[in-house]
Amino acid sequence: MTADTAIFLTFDALADLSRRILRHHGLGPNQIEAVTRTIVAGERDGCASHGAYRLIVCAATLATGKVIRDADPEVCDSAPGLARVDAGGGYAQLAFERGLPLLVEKAQAAGIAALAINNCVHFAALWPEIEAVTDQGLVALACTPSHAWVAPAGGRKPLFGTNPLAFGWPRPGPYPFVFDFATSAVARGEIELHCRSGRKIPTGWGIDREGNDTTDPAAALAGAMLTFGGHKGSALSAMIELIAGPLIGDMTSAESLTADEGAGSSPIGGELIVAIDPSGFLGDAAAQHMNRAEALFEGITAQGARLPSQRRFAAREQSQERGGVTLARTLHDDLLRLLD
Ligand code: NDP
Ligand code: PYC
């Protein structure tokens, strides 16, 4: 991007813009701070589909009235290894921040614990939550359904959400091992970005309303998205529907889309986060065994392959060196228009 097509914003300037947009669209102060931390982190890490672009998504969602703007999440200590946060109809971020200390305490006490976030609106990547758990020396797993946009393998009609699955493993040094991906071929946000910029999508991402392969992003958004890895992504997606839906008393992606009533909000429902303390299985030998994982990571990179999140951590370092992020001017202009 050139100076004509791009604009540099310091982290503070982006956070300030995020706060102003969210306030202008009626979100309450606590929710604003938690959402803004996610927006800035996403842009800092070079996550185009889940960074500053999400402010456009938030503004549209707030306009639907589907978010409780001043929700005050409530934490519930539900069982020895289980915690629950009722997000109160607000965004998932503040609910997660409130529930994290109890999740960590329980995982450290019992070796494993799970946190259910219920009744939340979800628009974000899962890696911020994964990293918050690995920062405590715990192994982490997270998933959430979304809206029914994705056809099961062998079918042609939307049923599953784009249902992300994320995993984290604490490592020596600044960065954990983390992957975080949609169980659809790609996040819906990525297809939306292709639509915004007039780019075609590869075949395999989606089908049109008639069930035909398409490279037209608008046709795929109107038709159905496809799972990654055929029946394998499809089964993982079904698992996420189950364990972050009925298992925690919350909505499937189909139910979320029904609850949306055509308004076009971000998905509504639950999220499941599991934390495992390595010393639960291994006691004093935990550090020694955790270090054996380093040979595995070395085995991956020694072949010239890269670790998941390696690109993202490199983007983070570059942003931190520069003290901010570079936004496309078209996106920045669209963000400023949200203040009209
Ligand atoms: P990708 O298909 O790009 O997959 C992302 C993951 O795979 C990242 O961990 C990424 O690391 C890693 N990866 C990508 N390429 C490689 C490679 N060549 N070698 C090794 N690892 C690689 O992203 P998606 O479109 O599937 O998902 C993007 C985001 O969308 C996720 O953060 C997800 O949580 C979010 N999402 C949220 C939803 C919600 O309901 N809240 C729904 C769906 C998606 P790196 O980042 O370093 O490239
Ligand atoms: O990109 O698929 C997506 C998505 C859904 C909810 C948040 N992001």
Side-chain angles (χ1 to χ4, degrees), residues 217-257:
L221 292 174
M225 296 170 64
L226 297 173
T227 58
F228 86 88
H231 63 281
K232 300 180 186 184
S234 193
L236 283 176
S237 194
M239 177 193 78
I240 292 166
E241 294 287 339
L242 297 171
I243 65 174
L247 184 71
I248 61 168
D250 224 310
M251 290 199 227
T252 62
S253 297
E255 289 164 347
S256 171
L257 196 60

Side-chain angles (χ1 to χ4, degrees), residues 45 47 49-50 122-127 144-146 149 162-166 178-188 190 267 306-313:
D45 279 18
C47 299
S49 64
H50 288 79
H122 214 302
F123 71 82
L126 298 184
W127 57 258
T144 180
S146 62
W149 289 317
T162 45
N163 300 3
L165 179 66
V178 177
F179 70 73
D180 173 17
F181 50 67
T183 46
S184 44
V186 72
R188 190 170 183 84
E190 191 58 41
R306 77 162 167 94
L307 298 180
S309 294
Q310 202 169 310
R311 176 207 61 84
R312 190 166 60 74
F313 294 143

Side-chain angles (χ1 to χ4, degrees), residues 37-253:
R37 279 190 278 280
T38 296
I39 299 280
V40 174
E43 198 60 40
R44 175 202 66 198
D45 279 18
C47 299
S49 64
H50 288 79
Y53 165 66
R54 287 284 139 184
L55 287 167
I56 296 175
V57 176
C58 285
T61 293
L62 285 161
T64 68
K66 298 285 180 187
V67 183
I68 304 301
R69 292 153 181 242
D70 54 356
D72 190 24
E74 279 182 29
V75 181
C76 167
D77 187 340
S78 31
L82 301 176
R84 209 182 248 287
V85 188
D86 181 347
Y91 282 115
Q93 282 78 13
L94 184 59
F96 174 75
E97 289 181 9
R98 295 256 173 102
L100 178 65
L102 187 57
L103 173 68
V104 171
E105 186 188 312
K106 282 175 176 288
Q108 287 168 343
I112 184 166
L115 173 70
I117 299 175
N118 289 118
N119 192 18
C120 72
V121 178
H122 214 302
F123 71 82
L126 298 184
W127 57 258
E129 292 155 17
I130 292 290
E131 287 187 34
V133 176
T134 57
D135 280 352
Q136 304 297 319
L138 305 172
V139 175
L141 193 72
C143 58
T144 180
S146 62
H147 277 330
W149 289 317
V150 182
R156 312 303 275 174
K157 299 257 180 295
L159 175 68
F160 297 147
T162 45
N163 300 3
L165 179 66
F167 171 80
W169 177 274
R171 297 183 65 190
Y175 299 122
F177 173 87
V178 177
F179 70 73
D180 173 17
F181 50 67
T183 46
S184 44
V186 72
R188 190 170 183 84
E190 191 58 41
I191 302 187
E192 290 166 1
L193 291 184
H194 276 70
C195 216
R196 271 172 65 82
S197 57
R199 285 173 292 154
K200 286 188 185 309
I201 56 170
T203 50
W205 283 14
I207 50 181
D208 65 19
R209 278 184 197 277
E210 284 71 47
N212 302 312
D213 287 344
T214 184
T215 57
D216 175 356
L221 292 174
M225 296 170 64
L226 297 173
T227 58
F228 86 88
H231 63 281
K232 300 180 186 184
S234 193
L236 283 176
S237 194
M239 177 193 78
I240 292 166
E241 294 287 339
L242 297 171
I243 65 174
L247 184 71
I248 61 168
D250 224 310
M251 290 199 227
T252 62
S253 297

